Amino acid sequence: MIRTLIVDDAGAVRKSLRVLLETTQDIRVVGESDNGIDAVRLARHLKPDVVLMDLRMPDGDGLDAIEALSGIGVAAPIPVIVFTTFHLDEYLYGAFERGAVGFLLKKNPGDIPAAIRAAVNANALQSPAVRQRLIADYARGSSRARSREGARG
């Protein structure tokens, strides 16, 4: 059973996620939080296998909570999957830089169970739009790097 903590400031979203996850046979919701500060405290107490985290919340945003739960130097990191409406570069790259293992958009809630399973197996699953953006950004960066090296050669 994969123990999951849901973190979102919207009660209706938390309830919907709980209903979605409770329909699976291998995922169990062990707790919920409406802010990043409480999420860190709960995660350290409950020790879930995965945290499903919104980013923009009052009283401690998701980026700070991600860093506290799975950032560099965390003794017992917990995989964090971002689940948000916003896929701005600052959130996308900020989440990965702070230790997130996945980034899903709220418009695709059906991806959540597979992302949770991937996270506990040390894999990552991204929303298709996020994956395309990462690949395009990587390709642009690789093209620039090849151009710079070609100019030096």
Side-chain angles (χ1 to χ4, degrees), residues 2-101:
I2 303 170
R3 298 166 36 86
T4 305
L5 173 65
I6 299 171
V7 184
D8 196 295
D9 59 324
V13 171
R14 290 192 314 272
K15 182 177 181 177
S16 295
L17 291 172
R18 181 178 281 275
V19 169
L20 171 71
L21 295 176
E22 287 178 351
T23 65
T24 67
Q25 297 201 4
D26 60 337
I27 300 171
R28 189 176 95 209
V29 176
V30 295
E32 296 179 16
S33 175
D34 64 357
N35 68 75
I37 293 169
D38 187 47
V40 171
R41 183 188 58 75
L42 265 177
R44 289 183 177 151
H45 174 72
L46 298 172
K47 301 191 184 331
D49 299 309
V50 177
V51 175
L52 189 59
M53 177 85 63
D54 189 16
L55 290 179
R56 292 181 55 177
M57 298 176 288
D59 300 324
D61 75 358
L63 292 175
D64 291 338
I66 292 166
E67 190 165 20
L69 295 173
S70 60
I72 294 173
V74 173
I78 299 169
V80 178
I81 300 167
V82 171
F83 185 62
T84 186
T85 305
F86 306 97
H87 61 285
L88 303 171
D89 283 352
E90 66 189 86
Y91 295 133
L92 177 62
Y93 293 108
F96 287 128
E97 288 168 358
R98 293 179 186 215
V101 298

